[in-house]
Amino acid sequence: MIRSRITGIGFHVPPRVVTNHDLEQMMDTTDTWIVERTGIRERHFVEGDVGSSDLGIEAARKALADAGRTPADVDFVIFATTTADWMFPGNGVIVQEKLGLGTVGALDVRNACSGFLYSLSVADAFVRMGQYRCVLVIGAEVQSTGLDLRTEGRDMAVLFGDGAGAAVVEPSTDESGILSWSLHSEGQFARELWCEAPSSRVPGRVTQEMLDAGRQLPRMNGRQVFKNATTRFPEVIHEVLAKAGHTLDEVALVVPHQANQRIGDAVVQRLGVPPEKVFQNVQRYGNTTAASIPIALTEARDAGLVKKGDLVVLAAFGAGFAWAGTAMRW
Ligand code: COA
C-alpha cells in the first residue's frame, strides 16, 4: 500500500517580539508568574493589517522550497486556523489565489490546537488513496488581535502568540511515511476553551452587550484544560505507537502541540522518557494553536533532532476538546 510522507516543512513568524516584560507594561502580571506557570518568555505578534493567511503563505513558500516543489506542483490545499481572515470564505482560497495554484481545491479546518494534525490526516488519506499527489497543509494563527491585553484578560493573553507552519505531503517511495493515526473529540468540554461570537444563533451575529462583555474574545478554564491535556497527550501517544506496532523506546522524538511548558513537562513525566525526547519551544513562541506543531517540527528537524529514518510522534490537544496523534517514519 502507498504511504504518504512529509517531504517539506517550513514556518514563519511575524518579526515583532513581545516579551513578558513588555506584557508587564500592559497589564498586572510579572515575568516570574508567566515563566513559573507556563515557561513562556516571549512570543511574536503581528503589526498592522496582517492576517493568518499572510503568515500561512510565507510558511507555505518555505515548505514548498524545502520539498523542492513549486506552486505548480500543488494539487490540493488544507488550511487549519481558528483565526481566519474572514468569517467566510476560509483562508484556503486566499492561499490558492496568492500562490497562483491554478484552480485546485482548498479545504479549511477549524479544530484549533489539533487543527494541523486533523488536516495532516486528511492529506494523508488523499495521498494514500491516490486522489492527490502533492498536498499543501498549513496551520496559521493571528491570536494577538483577539487577546484582551488588559489585566482582565491576563490569564489568556500571556499564553498565545502568532505564527504559521506548513508541510508538503506526497507519496512515499521508501520506508518513510505516516504509519498511524488517532483522532478524538469530547464536545462536553466545548465551553472550557472557546470563542462564542460572532454566532449564527444571534440576529446580527453579535450584539453590543456581547461585545461589552468580551464574548467575541476567546475564554478558557485553564485548570480543566490542563487536567485533560496532561491525560490525553500520553494516552494518544501510546495509542498511535500501539497501532503502528512500535514502542516508546524506538521513538527518536515526540513533538507535541506547544501549549505550556508545564504540560510538556507533565507529558515527559507520565511517559517516563528523558526530557530531550519531548521537543519544546513554547518558551519563544507561546501557544500558536494550529501553527505550533509545524513550527516545532521544523525547528526540531533544523536542529538535527529529526533525521531520515527516525520514528517521530506528533500529538495535539486543544479546544473541543479535540486531540490527535500520529506516528511516522521520517
Ligand atoms: N499574571 C499574574 N497573575 C495571573 C495571571 C497572569 N497572567 N493570570 C492569572 N493570574 C492570577 C489569577 O487571577 C489567580 O489569582 P487569585 O488566586 O488571586 O484568584 C492566580 O493567578 C492563580 O490563577 P490560576 O488560574 O489558579 O493559576 P493556575 O496555576 O491554574 O495557572 C494557567 C493558570 C492558565 C497557566 C494553567 O491553568 C494552565 O496552564 N492551563 C492550561 C492552559 C492552556 O495551555 N491552554 C491552551 C491549551 S491548547
mmCIF file of all heavy atoms in Angstrom, residues 6 117 120 176-181 297 310-314 326-330:
data_model
loop_
_atom_site.group_PDB
_atom_site.id
_atom_site.type_symbol
_atom_site.label_atom_id
_atom_site.label_comp_id
_atom_site.label_asym_id
_atom_site.label_seq_id
_atom_site.Cartn_x
_atom_site.Cartn_y
_atom_site.Cartn_z
ATOM 1 N N ILE A 6 5.808 13.424 4.740
ATOM 2 C CA ILE A 6 6.056 14.869 4.686
ATOM 3 C C ILE A 6 7.370 15.058 3.940
ATOM 4 O O ILE A 6 8.412 14.551 4.359
ATOM 5 C CB ILE A 6 6.138 15.459 6.113
ATOM 6 C CG1 ILE A 6 4.761 15.385 6.799
ATOM 7 C CG2 ILE A 6 6.629 16.899 6.066
ATOM 8 C CD1 ILE A 6 4.756 15.845 8.252
ATOM 9 N N LEU A 117 -2.928 18.627 12.908
ATOM 10 C CA LEU A 117 -2.899 17.154 12.785
ATOM 11 C C LEU A 117 -4.155 16.628 12.093
ATOM 12 O O LEU A 117 -4.066 15.710 11.276
ATOM 13 C CB LEU A 117 -2.713 16.491 14.151
ATOM 14 C CG LEU A 117 -1.333 16.624 14.761
ATOM 15 C CD1 LEU A 117 -1.177 15.661 15.946
ATOM 16 C CD2 LEU A 117 -0.228 16.361 13.752
ATOM 17 N N LEU A 120 -3.469 17.203 8.511
ATOM 18 C CA LEU A 120 -2.464 16.264 8.001
ATOM 19 C C LEU A 120 -3.086 14.879 7.769
ATOM 20 O O LEU A 120 -2.740 14.188 6.810
ATOM 21 C CB LEU A 120 -1.317 16.181 9.018
ATOM 22 C CG LEU A 120 -0.036 15.476 8.605
ATOM 23 C CD1 LEU A 120 0.629 16.184 7.414
ATOM 24 C CD2 LEU A 120 0.942 15.431 9.792
ATOM 25 N N SER A 176 9.898 5.448 4.533
ATOM 26 C CA SER A 176 9.427 6.587 5.318
ATOM 27 C C SER A 176 7.929 6.789 5.122
ATOM 28 O O SER A 176 7.347 6.299 4.157
ATOM 29 C CB SER A 176 10.182 7.849 4.893
ATOM 30 O OG SER A 176 9.817 8.192 3.575
ATOM 31 N N GLY A 177 7.328 7.515 6.054
ATOM 32 C CA GLY A 177 5.923 7.885 5.864
ATOM 33 C C GLY A 177 5.092 7.758 7.118
ATOM 34 O O GLY A 177 5.555 7.300 8.166
ATOM 35 N N ILE A 178 3.834 8.179 6.990
ATOM 36 C CA ILE A 178 2.899 8.184 8.112
ATOM 37 C C ILE A 178 2.411 6.765 8.364
ATOM 38 O O ILE A 178 1.973 6.072 7.430
ATOM 39 C CB ILE A 178 1.744 9.161 7.807
ATOM 40 C CG1 ILE A 178 2.299 10.596 7.798
ATOM 41 C CG2 ILE A 178 0.626 8.999 8.835
ATOM 42 C CD1 ILE A 178 1.332 11.668 7.353
ATOM 43 N N LEU A 179 2.488 6.337 9.646
ATOM 44 C CA LEU A 179 2.207 4.945 9.993
ATOM 45 C C LEU A 179 0.855 4.753 10.663
ATOM 46 O O LEU A 179 0.224 3.708 10.490
ATOM 47 C CB LEU A 179 3.296 4.417 10.942
ATOM 48 C CG LEU A 179 4.742 4.528 10.458
ATOM 49 C CD1 LEU A 179 5.702 4.144 11.571
ATOM 50 C CD2 LEU A 179 4.950 3.641 9.232
ATOM 51 N N SER A 180 0.421 5.713 11.455
ATOM 52 C CA SER A 180 -0.836 5.502 12.186
ATOM 53 C C SER A 180 -1.433 6.829 12.644
ATOM 54 O O SER A 180 -0.728 7.849 12.725
ATOM 55 C CB SER A 180 -0.589 4.627 13.422
ATOM 56 O OG SER A 180 0.289 5.274 14.311
ATOM 57 N N TRP A 181 -2.724 6.755 12.951
ATOM 58 C CA TRP A 181 -3.474 7.932 13.413
ATOM 59 C C TRP A 181 -4.369 7.595 14.584
ATOM 60 O O TRP A 181 -4.913 6.492 14.650
ATOM 61 C CB TRP A 181 -4.395 8.447 12.285
ATOM 62 C CG TRP A 181 -3.683 9.232 11.254
ATOM 63 C CD1 TRP A 181 -3.353 8.815 9.991
ATOM 64 C CD2 TRP A 181 -3.199 10.568 11.380
ATOM 65 N NE1 TRP A 181 -2.687 9.815 9.338
ATOM 66 C CE2 TRP A 181 -2.577 10.901 10.168
ATOM 67 C CE3 TRP A 181 -3.220 11.514 12.410
ATOM 68 C CZ2 TRP A 181 -1.986 12.140 9.958
ATOM 69 C CZ3 TRP A 181 -2.629 12.746 12.204
ATOM 70 C CH2 TRP A 181 -2.027 13.047 10.979
ATOM 71 N N LEU A 297 8.143 21.225 14.678
ATOM 72 C CA LEU A 297 8.739 20.158 13.862
ATOM 73 C C LEU A 297 9.863 20.707 12.986
ATOM 74 O O LEU A 297 10.920 20.083 12.841
ATOM 75 C CB LEU A 297 7.639 19.515 13.000
ATOM 76 C CG LEU A 297 8.018 18.313 12.153
ATOM 77 C CD1 LEU A 297 8.541 17.159 13.020
ATOM 78 C CD2 LEU A 297 6.807 17.832 11.334
ATOM 79 N N ASP A 310 14.183 8.215 11.311
ATOM 80 C CA ASP A 310 13.745 8.301 12.709
ATOM 81 C C ASP A 310 12.241 8.042 12.835
ATOM 82 O O ASP A 310 11.461 8.427 11.960
ATOM 83 C CB ASP A 310 14.009 9.715 13.271
ATOM 84 C CG ASP A 310 15.455 9.911 13.693
ATOM 85 O OD1 ASP A 310 16.214 8.919 13.730
ATOM 86 O OD2 ASP A 310 15.824 11.069 13.987
ATOM 87 N N LEU A 311 11.874 7.444 13.965
ATOM 88 C CA LEU A 311 10.460 7.308 14.307
ATOM 89 C C LEU A 311 10.060 8.555 15.110
ATOM 90 O O LEU A 311 10.682 8.873 16.127
ATOM 91 C CB LEU A 311 10.248 6.048 15.146
ATOM 92 C CG LEU A 311 8.808 5.690 15.491
ATOM 93 C CD1 LEU A 311 7.990 5.384 14.241
ATOM 94 C CD2 LEU A 311 8.789 4.490 16.439
ATOM 95 N N VAL A 312 9.049 9.264 14.614
ATOM 96 C CA VAL A 312 8.640 10.537 15.210
ATOM 97 C C VAL A 312 7.150 10.456 15.545
ATOM 98 O O VAL A 312 6.374 9.887 14.776
ATOM 99 C CB VAL A 312 8.880 11.703 14.216
ATOM 100 C CG1 VAL A 312 8.418 13.027 14.794
ATOM 101 C CG2 VAL A 312 10.344 11.772 13.829
ATOM 102 N N VAL A 313 6.769 11.005 16.698
ATOM 103 C CA VAL A 313 5.349 11.053 17.065
ATOM 104 C C VAL A 313 4.932 12.513 17.232
ATOM 105 O O VAL A 313 5.621 13.288 17.901
ATOM 106 C CB VAL A 313 5.080 10.273 18.376
ATOM 107 C CG1 VAL A 313 3.644 10.469 18.830
ATOM 108 C CG2 VAL A 313 5.363 8.791 18.180
ATOM 109 N N LEU A 314 3.825 12.871 16.602
ATOM 110 C CA LEU A 314 3.238 14.210 16.769
ATOM 111 C C LEU A 314 1.940 14.038 17.561
ATOM 112 O O LEU A 314 1.197 13.076 17.318
ATOM 113 C CB LEU A 314 2.924 14.851 15.414
ATOM 114 C CG LEU A 314 4.021 14.844 14.337
ATOM 115 C CD1 LEU A 314 3.512 15.554 13.074
ATOM 116 C CD2 LEU A 314 5.296 15.490 14.841
ATOM 117 N N THR A 326 -0.156 11.087 15.699
ATOM 118 C CA THR A 326 0.289 10.312 14.540
ATOM 119 C C THR A 326 1.725 9.841 14.773
ATOM 120 O O THR A 326 2.517 10.558 15.401
ATOM 121 C CB THR A 326 0.189 11.128 13.225
ATOM 122 O OG1 THR A 326 0.610 10.329 12.130
ATOM 123 C CG2 THR A 326 1.044 12.384 13.263
ATOM 124 N N ALA A 327 2.019 8.651 14.287
ATOM 125 C CA ALA A 327 3.407 8.144 14.312
ATOM 126 C C ALA A 327 3.886 8.092 12.877
ATOM 127 O O ALA A 327 3.121 7.701 11.979
ATOM 128 C CB ALA A 327 3.453 6.752 14.931
ATOM 129 N N MET A 328 5.130 8.511 12.651
ATOM 130 C CA MET A 328 5.655 8.483 11.279
ATOM 131 C C MET A 328 7.137 8.127 11.250
ATOM 132 O O MET A 328 7.867 8.392 12.208
ATOM 133 C CB MET A 328 5.427 9.829 10.579
ATOM 134 C CG MET A 328 6.088 11.016 11.229
ATOM 135 S SD MET A 328 5.694 12.554 10.353
ATOM 136 C CE MET A 328 3.953 12.716 10.729
ATOM 137 N N ARG A 329 7.535 7.503 10.165
ATOM 138 C CA ARG A 329 8.950 7.229 9.925
ATOM 139 C C ARG A 329 9.454 8.381 9.063
ATOM 140 O O ARG A 329 8.922 8.622 7.979
ATOM 141 C CB ARG A 329 9.069 5.883 9.191
ATOM 142 C CG ARG A 329 10.457 5.451 8.830
ATOM 143 C CD ARG A 329 11.273 4.952 9.995
ATOM 144 N NE ARG A 329 10.717 3.783 10.677
ATOM 145 C CZ ARG A 329 11.105 3.370 11.895
ATOM 146 N NH1 ARG A 329 12.048 4.027 12.541
ATOM 147 N NH2 ARG A 329 10.545 2.310 12.444
ATOM 148 N N TRP A 330 10.428 9.141 9.567
ATOM 149 C CA TRP A 330 10.885 10.343 8.833
ATOM 150 C C TRP A 330 11.743 9.966 7.642
ATOM 151 O O TRP A 330 12.483 9.012 7.679
ATOM 152 C CB TRP A 330 11.667 11.272 9.771
ATOM 153 C CG TRP A 330 11.815 12.645 9.189
ATOM 154 C CD1 TRP A 330 12.914 13.174 8.584
ATOM 155 C CD2 TRP A 330 10.809 13.682 9.142
ATOM 156 N NE1 TRP A 330 12.666 14.451 8.160
ATOM 157 C CE2 TRP A 330 11.382 14.788 8.496
ATOM 158 C CE3 TRP A 330 9.478 13.761 9.572
ATOM 159 C CZ2 TRP A 330 10.666 15.984 8.260
ATOM 160 C CZ3 TRP A 330 8.784 14.931 9.360
ATOM 161 C CH2 TRP A 330 9.376 16.026 8.714
#
